[in-house]
Amino acid sequence: MAPGADRAPARTDPRYWSHALNQQPTPRTYGAYQARSIATRLAHLNEYLTRPGTPPDTVAVLADVFDPEHGALAAFATLAATASRFAQQQATQGLLPPEVWLALGRAANELNDIGLDLDEHLDTLAAARTPSATPVPVPLVVRRHR
């Protein structure tokens, strides 16, 4: 056996995430499988975006992730809203504490607010899909609008 063959791949190795997923118990329901699959895919995307020498299509990837209609953030905000409605039904039946329903509702609202905050910058991300011939570096000093 080669040295280190009995160990898990390093976090920087894309095989790490599939190895880590295989160490988890097998999901028992379709919903649990879907949740684990989404989490794994997001972990893969994060790993892709954090690699040194990230390819130039990264801006296009970010524009797709934060797309207000079809992006992952919008889908996750919708999921949080759906979970809040489900928790409300469960809370009215006494199966969940009302605090769970309220927390999920706040999370859904916060995700929606984050999407609205990013909305003003989506045109810039979309325009950056086709980079100009000569990018111009700028200092990263930004003042917040109050």
Side-chain angles (χ1 to χ4, degrees), residues 9 15-24:
R15 293 173 294 166
Y16 168 82
W17 300 106
S18 61
H19 175 79
L21 180 64
N22 291 333
Q23 298 304 308
Q24 303 288 328

Side-chain angles (χ1 to χ4, degrees), residues 105-137:
R106 281 192 303 273
N109 289 336
E110 289 291 326
L111 287 169
N112 186 54
D113 289 346
I114 291 168
L116 292 173
D117 288 345
L118 291 172
D119 192 38
E120 68 183 271
H121 303 288
L122 292 175
D123 291 340
T124 305
L125 282 173
R129 289 176 190 246
T130 55
S132 62
T134 56
V136 179

